[in-house]
């Protein structure tokens, strides 16, 4: 009864209340085997939202959610939105220095996290002056700080009345941190308006309905994972939420139990499925759509994927966090255009421009630009970097997004990725900034020079490779270097290959010349 | 004992890059501690199959069998 007035939908979380109104007893989320209905989700969201506001959380505050893919993580995302706040989901693989950087960069007022990550966050929370509240889910027995509250207690002690909150569609809803070429991650600013728009466009072309059951094994810190949740809740569908794809047999069991219909993956996951299929045949006939993004799906995967998912349409897509998604190939065109990523998503358009800003002819390569209501507001507190990618559009004051990727288009308007114009590495579906990795390696005593590049790798897109010059007489071993890397970097950023060399090629001005390495 | 020490050394050397035995407890969840993720798990399977001459079936790739040193040792012993 409470939510009938939400028409038309303007705010992201209104989708939750509309779905709960329609089907309160339907399962909203199956998290690691436990089912939660829409009314249970609303109840927990209302309680956590009231609890946050009681602790001083106000409209526009940033709540960093540093958690695994769990039920409390889902509740925290929607409770932040309902409280008028901005959610910032951070990958649980993130190490101390970067977590501290993000908390300070967005001046988070609230941190919601998992107890098993306490080795990382407990050293950081005292260094972040903006933090007013830290809430932790899971087994609290190893946490000795009385300032840290238990998630279940906070939720259970609160009132479940609908809180009064202001907010309009132009408000920020999320900051999504992504690797930048300067080394530090940048917070991509999305509003309720950009996210609701993107969400509905995705739902349209993926042909989703409330009958679907979507699987997420990708981190919710990654917008591709996050949008599975947002789409599912928006539709009143069911989300099957898993922490990771590490233990495939467990995922397969959950997929069968829940008759999953949508399987979003990245090439790494598909290649793992393929190698398991080779060992022993696997098949998921309930799946009607599989989607791929983050890196190109090798065309020779398609036949085996059709064996594994005999009823599925296969979607190849391309996007960037700055606008969520750019384009997709209609699955019916997969055989005809195996290397294309298709056309702009519904309600948006793209252009390929040359260096002078003129449109290029079909077949010619140029820079891809994106126009639509899904484009971000900019990078949080990074005006200069924002201006580099948000450039003048058609109308006075209008901004369009420069993808920094080279593309070409065929006569029918379908797009083909040609390469990146910056040196960001795309590996295992994630972006890696070479500078971020180099900064860590330069911090190791005995390292004289380091250069990080991406090298082609069939399974993971690009593999991170580091060339090193080590000080003469130093007894530094590769093992010691790798150890520092795993302590300071997320797993996907740790170089797969190291090569020690006597010297690195330089430009005339003495800078390391990456294009001469390889 | 032999399984445990071989396994511990493999994990320390290949995932944690150290020979410091205190860096890994036998009960540590590989997932919780971020020790192994989806690209590392097949390497672990191949290691188990080669080092201990066991065959790991797809349906056995679950946390109960694989998510800590303790679980893996139990699992490998049950296969012997």
């Amino acid at each position: 009864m409470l939510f009938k007035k939400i028409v038309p939908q303007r705010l992201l979380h209104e989708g939750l209340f509309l779905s709960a109104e329609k089907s309160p007893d339907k399962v909203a989320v199956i998290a690691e085997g436990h089912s939660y209905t829409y009314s249970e989700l609303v109840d927990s969201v209302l309680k956590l939202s009231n609890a946050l506001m009681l602790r001083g959380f106000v409209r526009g505050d940033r709540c960093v959610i540093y958690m695994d893919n769990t039920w409390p993580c889902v509740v925290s995302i929607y409770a932040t939105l309902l409280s008028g706040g901005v959610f910032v989901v951070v990958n649980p693989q993130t190490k101390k220095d970067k977590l501290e950087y993000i908390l300070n960069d967005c001046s988070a007022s609230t941190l919601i996290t998992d107890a098993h990550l306490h080795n990382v966050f407990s050293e950081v929370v005292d260094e972040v002056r903006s933090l007013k509240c830290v809430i932790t889910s899971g087994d609290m027995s190893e946490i000795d700080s009385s300032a840290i509250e238990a998630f279940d207690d906070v939720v259970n002690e609160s009132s479940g009345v609908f809180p009064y909150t202001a907010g309009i569609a132009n408000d920020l809803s999320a900051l999504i941190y992504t690797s930048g070429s300067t080394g530090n991650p940048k917070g991509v600013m999305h509003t309720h308006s950009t996210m609701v728009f993107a969400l509905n466009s995705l739902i349209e072309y993926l042909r989703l309905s409330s009958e679907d059951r979507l699987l997420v094994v990708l981190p919710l810190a990654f917008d591709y994972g996050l949008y599975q949740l947002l789409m599912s809740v928006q539709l009143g569908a069911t989300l099957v939420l898993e922490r990771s794809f590490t233990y495939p047999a467990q995922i397969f069991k959950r997929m069968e139990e829940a008759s999953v219909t949508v399987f979003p993956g990245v090439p790494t996951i598909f290649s793992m499925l393929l190698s398991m299929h080779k060992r022993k045949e696997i098949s998921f006939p309930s799946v009607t759509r599989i989607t791929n993004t983050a890196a190109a799906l090798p065309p020779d995967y398609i036949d085996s994927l059709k064996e594994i998912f005999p009823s599925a349409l296969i979607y190849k897509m391309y996007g960037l966090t700055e606008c969520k998604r750019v384009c997709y190939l209609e699955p019916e065109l997969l055989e005809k255009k195996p290397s294309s990523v298709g056309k702009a998503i519904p309600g948006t358009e793209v252009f390929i421009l040359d260096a002078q800003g003129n449109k290029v002819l079909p077949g010619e390569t140029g820079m891809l630009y994106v126009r639509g209501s899904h484009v971000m507001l900019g990078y949080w507190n990074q005006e200069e970097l924002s201006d580099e990618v948000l450039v003048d559009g058609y109308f006075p004051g209008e901004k369009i997004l420069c993808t920094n990727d080279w593309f070409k288009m065929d006569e029918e308007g379908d797009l083909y990725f040609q390469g990146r114009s910056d040196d960001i590495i795309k590996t295992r579906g994630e972006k890696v900034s070479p500078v971020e990795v180099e900064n860590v390696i330069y911090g190791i005593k005995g390292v004289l020079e380091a250069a990080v590049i991406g090298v082609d790798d069939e399974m993971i897109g690009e593999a991170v490779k580091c060339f090193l010059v080590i000080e003469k007489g130093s007894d530094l071993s590769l093992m010691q270097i790798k150890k520092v890397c795993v302590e300071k970097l997320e797993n996907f950023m740790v170089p797969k290959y190291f090569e020690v060399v006597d010297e690195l090629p330089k430009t005339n001005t003495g800078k390391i010349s990456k294009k001469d390495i390889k | 004992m032999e399984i445990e020490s071989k396994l511990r050394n493999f994990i320390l050397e290949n995932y944690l890059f150290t020979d410091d035995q205190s860096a890994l407890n036998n009960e540590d969840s590989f997932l919780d501690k971020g020790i192994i993720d989806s690209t590392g798990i097949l390497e672990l399977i191949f290691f188990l199959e080669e080092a201990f001459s066991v065959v790991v079936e797809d349906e056995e790739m679950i946390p109960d069998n694989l998510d800590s040193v303790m679980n893996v040792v139990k699992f490998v012993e049950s296969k012997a």
Side-chain angles (χ1 to χ4, degrees), chain B residues 46-64:
Chain B
F46 295 144
F47 167 76
L48 297 180
E49 297 195 330
E50 200 182 302
F52 307 117
S53 312
V54 294
V55 176
V56 182
E57 304 290 344
D58 282 358
E59 55 271 20
E60 291 171 332
M61 289 167 73
I62 56 173
D64 276 354

mmCIF file of all heavy atoms in Angstrom, chain B residues 46-64:
data_model
loop_
_atom_site.group_PDB
_atom_site.id
_atom_site.type_symbol
_atom_site.label_atom_id
_atom_site.label_comp_id
_atom_site.label_asym_id
_atom_site.label_seq_id
_atom_site.Cartn_x
_atom_site.Cartn_y
_atom_site.Cartn_z
ATOM 1 N N PHE B 46 44.943 -29.429 -10.669
ATOM 2 C CA PHE B 46 45.993 -30.120 -11.425
ATOM 3 C C PHE B 46 47.121 -30.568 -10.485
ATOM 4 O O PHE B 46 47.662 -31.652 -10.624
ATOM 5 C CB PHE B 46 46.543 -29.221 -12.544
ATOM 6 C CG PHE B 46 45.520 -28.889 -13.602
ATOM 7 C CD1 PHE B 46 45.499 -27.645 -14.218
ATOM 8 C CD2 PHE B 46 44.553 -29.823 -13.980
ATOM 9 C CE1 PHE B 46 44.547 -27.330 -15.186
ATOM 10 C CE2 PHE B 46 43.592 -29.517 -14.942
ATOM 11 C CZ PHE B 46 43.591 -28.265 -15.550
ATOM 12 N N PHE B 47 47.430 -29.730 -9.514
ATOM 13 C CA PHE B 47 48.463 -30.082 -8.541
ATOM 14 C C PHE B 47 48.049 -31.335 -7.756
ATOM 15 O O PHE B 47 48.838 -32.278 -7.614
ATOM 16 C CB PHE B 47 48.726 -28.918 -7.583
ATOM 17 C CG PHE B 47 49.538 -29.299 -6.374
ATOM 18 C CD1 PHE B 47 50.907 -29.504 -6.465
ATOM 19 C CD2 PHE B 47 48.911 -29.485 -5.138
ATOM 20 C CE1 PHE B 47 51.649 -29.878 -5.356
ATOM 21 C CE2 PHE B 47 49.652 -29.871 -4.023
ATOM 22 C CZ PHE B 47 51.024 -30.074 -4.123
ATOM 23 N N LEU B 48 46.811 -31.340 -7.261
ATOM 24 C CA LEU B 48 46.349 -32.479 -6.458
ATOM 25 C C LEU B 48 46.396 -33.762 -7.288
ATOM 26 O O LEU B 48 46.819 -34.819 -6.814
ATOM 27 C CB LEU B 48 44.916 -32.257 -5.962
ATOM 28 C CG LEU B 48 44.684 -31.077 -5.009
ATOM 29 C CD1 LEU B 48 43.207 -30.998 -4.620
ATOM 30 C CD2 LEU B 48 45.555 -31.187 -3.772
ATOM 31 N N GLU B 49 45.946 -33.650 -8.552
ATOM 32 C CA GLU B 49 45.893 -34.840 -9.400
ATOM 33 C C GLU B 49 47.294 -35.386 -9.665
ATOM 34 O O GLU B 49 47.498 -36.598 -9.708
ATOM 35 C CB GLU B 49 45.176 -34.512 -10.714
ATOM 36 C CG GLU B 49 43.726 -34.118 -10.441
ATOM 37 C CD GLU B 49 42.819 -34.126 -11.669
ATOM 38 O OE1 GLU B 49 43.293 -33.880 -12.801
ATOM 39 O OE2 GLU B 49 41.631 -34.378 -11.493
ATOM 40 N N GLU B 50 48.240 -34.457 -9.820
ATOM 41 C CA GLU B 50 49.584 -34.903 -10.143
ATOM 42 C C GLU B 50 50.353 -35.363 -8.898
ATOM 43 O O GLU B 50 50.930 -36.443 -8.873
ATOM 44 C CB GLU B 50 50.340 -33.767 -10.819
ATOM 45 C CG GLU B 50 51.533 -34.283 -11.592
ATOM 46 C CD GLU B 50 52.299 -33.141 -12.219
ATOM 47 O OE1 GLU B 50 51.678 -32.397 -13.010
ATOM 48 O OE2 GLU B 50 53.483 -32.991 -11.885
ATOM 49 N N ALA B 51 50.274 -34.562 -7.843
ATOM 50 C CA ALA B 51 51.093 -34.848 -6.663
ATOM 51 C C ALA B 51 50.587 -36.064 -5.892
ATOM 52 O O ALA B 51 51.361 -36.779 -5.283
ATOM 53 C CB ALA B 51 51.142 -33.622 -5.764
ATOM 54 N N PHE B 52 49.278 -36.271 -5.890
ATOM 55 C CA PHE B 52 48.737 -37.334 -5.042
ATOM 56 C C PHE B 52 48.028 -38.424 -5.845
ATOM 57 O O PHE B 52 47.316 -39.262 -5.279
ATOM 58 C CB PHE B 52 47.785 -36.736 -3.993
ATOM 59 C CG PHE B 52 48.404 -35.615 -3.194
ATOM 60 C CD1 PHE B 52 47.892 -34.337 -3.252
ATOM 61 C CD2 PHE B 52 49.526 -35.852 -2.413
ATOM 62 C CE1 PHE B 52 48.476 -33.300 -2.536
ATOM 63 C CE2 PHE B 52 50.112 -34.819 -1.694
ATOM 64 C CZ PHE B 52 49.595 -33.539 -1.756
ATOM 65 N N SER B 53 48.185 -38.386 -7.170
ATOM 66 C CA SER B 53 47.582 -39.388 -8.058
ATOM 67 C C SER B 53 46.108 -39.645 -7.747
ATOM 68 O O SER B 53 45.676 -40.788 -7.631
ATOM 69 C CB SER B 53 48.335 -40.721 -7.979
ATOM 70 O OG SER B 53 49.694 -40.512 -8.092
ATOM 71 N N VAL B 54 45.355 -38.570 -7.587
ATOM 72 C CA VAL B 54 43.904 -38.734 -7.412
ATOM 73 C C VAL B 54 43.222 -38.081 -8.618
ATOM 74 O O VAL B 54 43.837 -37.309 -9.355
ATOM 75 C CB VAL B 54 43.395 -38.032 -6.125
ATOM 76 C CG1 VAL B 54 43.957 -38.708 -4.899
ATOM 77 C CG2 VAL B 54 43.743 -36.550 -6.132
ATOM 78 N N VAL B 55 41.950 -38.427 -8.833
ATOM 79 C CA VAL B 55 41.189 -37.754 -9.880
ATOM 80 C C VAL B 55 40.098 -36.933 -9.201
ATOM 81 O O VAL B 55 39.332 -37.462 -8.400
ATOM 82 C CB VAL B 55 40.551 -38.785 -10.847
ATOM 83 C CG1 VAL B 55 39.680 -38.066 -11.875
ATOM 84 C CG2 VAL B 55 41.641 -39.582 -11.536
ATOM 85 N N VAL B 56 40.073 -35.641 -9.495
ATOM 86 C CA VAL B 56 39.051 -34.780 -8.896
ATOM 87 C C VAL B 56 37.913 -34.632 -9.900
ATOM 88 O O VAL B 56 38.105 -34.116 -11.001
ATOM 89 C CB VAL B 56 39.625 -33.396 -8.543
ATOM 90 C CG1 VAL B 56 38.565 -32.530 -7.876
ATOM 91 C CG2 VAL B 56 40.849 -33.531 -7.649
ATOM 92 N N GLU B 57 36.741 -35.131 -9.526
ATOM 93 C CA GLU B 57 35.583 -35.027 -10.419
ATOM 94 C C GLU B 57 35.032 -33.602 -10.361
ATOM 95 O O GLU B 57 35.162 -32.916 -9.342
ATOM 96 C CB GLU B 57 34.480 -36.007 -9.974
ATOM 97 C CG GLU B 57 34.923 -37.460 -9.872
ATOM 98 C CD GLU B 57 35.203 -38.099 -11.223
ATOM 99 O OE1 GLU B 57 34.780 -37.534 -12.261
ATOM 100 O OE2 GLU B 57 35.881 -39.153 -11.244
ATOM 101 N N ASP B 58 34.366 -33.184 -11.472
ATOM 102 C CA ASP B 58 33.777 -31.840 -11.494
ATOM 103 C C ASP B 58 32.888 -31.599 -10.274
ATOM 104 O O ASP B 58 32.944 -30.542 -9.658
ATOM 105 C CB ASP B 58 32.917 -31.650 -12.753
ATOM 106 C CG ASP B 58 33.796 -31.377 -13.966
ATOM 107 O OD1 ASP B 58 35.029 -31.308 -13.790
ATOM 108 O OD2 ASP B 58 33.246 -31.228 -15.065
ATOM 109 N N GLU B 59 32.068 -32.604 -9.945
ATOM 110 C CA GLU B 59 31.101 -32.385 -8.869
ATOM 111 C C GLU B 59 31.755 -32.329 -7.480
ATOM 112 O O GLU B 59 31.118 -32.002 -6.490
ATOM 113 C CB GLU B 59 29.956 -33.417 -8.908
ATOM 114 C CG GLU B 59 30.378 -34.868 -8.892
ATOM 115 C CD GLU B 59 30.623 -35.418 -10.303
ATOM 116 O OE1 GLU B 59 30.840 -34.604 -11.235
ATOM 117 O OE2 GLU B 59 30.597 -36.648 -10.480
ATOM 118 N N GLU B 60 33.049 -32.640 -7.451
ATOM 119 C CA GLU B 60 33.763 -32.541 -6.168
ATOM 120 C C GLU B 60 34.393 -31.160 -5.948
ATOM 121 O O GLU B 60 34.969 -30.909 -4.888
ATOM 122 C CB GLU B 60 34.847 -33.625 -6.100
ATOM 123 C CG GLU B 60 34.238 -35.021 -5.997
ATOM 124 C CD GLU B 60 35.247 -36.146 -6.152
ATOM 125 O OE1 GLU B 60 36.281 -35.949 -6.846
ATOM 126 O OE2 GLU B 60 35.013 -37.210 -5.584
ATOM 127 N N MET B 61 34.248 -30.278 -6.933
ATOM 128 C CA MET B 61 34.852 -28.945 -6.796
ATOM 129 C C MET B 61 33.963 -28.035 -5.971
ATOM 130 O O MET B 61 33.357 -27.099 -6.461
ATOM 131 C CB MET B 61 35.140 -28.359 -8.178
ATOM 132 C CG MET B 61 36.289 -29.089 -8.861
ATOM 133 S SD MET B 61 36.471 -28.722 -10.606
ATOM 134 C CE MET B 61 37.120 -27.085 -10.574
ATOM 135 N N ILE B 62 33.881 -28.336 -4.679
ATOM 136 C CA ILE B 62 33.066 -27.565 -3.736
ATOM 137 C C ILE B 62 33.931 -27.143 -2.549
ATOM 138 O O ILE B 62 34.960 -27.772 -2.277
ATOM 139 C CB ILE B 62 31.842 -28.385 -3.246
ATOM 140 C CG1 ILE B 62 32.288 -29.715 -2.638
ATOM 141 C CG2 ILE B 62 30.860 -28.643 -4.384
ATOM 142 C CD1 ILE B 62 31.167 -30.497 -1.977
ATOM 143 N N PRO B 63 33.521 -26.096 -1.833
ATOM 144 C CA PRO B 63 34.330 -25.597 -0.707
ATOM 145 C C PRO B 63 34.611 -26.666 0.352
ATOM 146 O O PRO B 63 35.712 -26.707 0.904
ATOM 147 C CB PRO B 63 33.478 -24.476 -0.113
ATOM 148 C CG PRO B 63 32.537 -24.076 -1.183
ATOM 149 C CD PRO B 63 32.351 -25.256 -2.074
ATOM 150 N N ASP B 64 33.646 -27.541 0.623
ATOM 151 C CA ASP B 64 33.849 -28.579 1.635
ATOM 152 C C ASP B 64 35.076 -29.433 1.340
ATOM 153 O O ASP B 64 35.719 -29.953 2.246
ATOM 154 C CB ASP B 64 32.626 -29.504 1.705
ATOM 155 C CG ASP B 64 31.547 -28.910 2.589
ATOM 156 O OD1 ASP B 64 31.825 -27.861 3.219
ATOM 157 O OD2 ASP B 64 30.445 -29.481 2.645
#
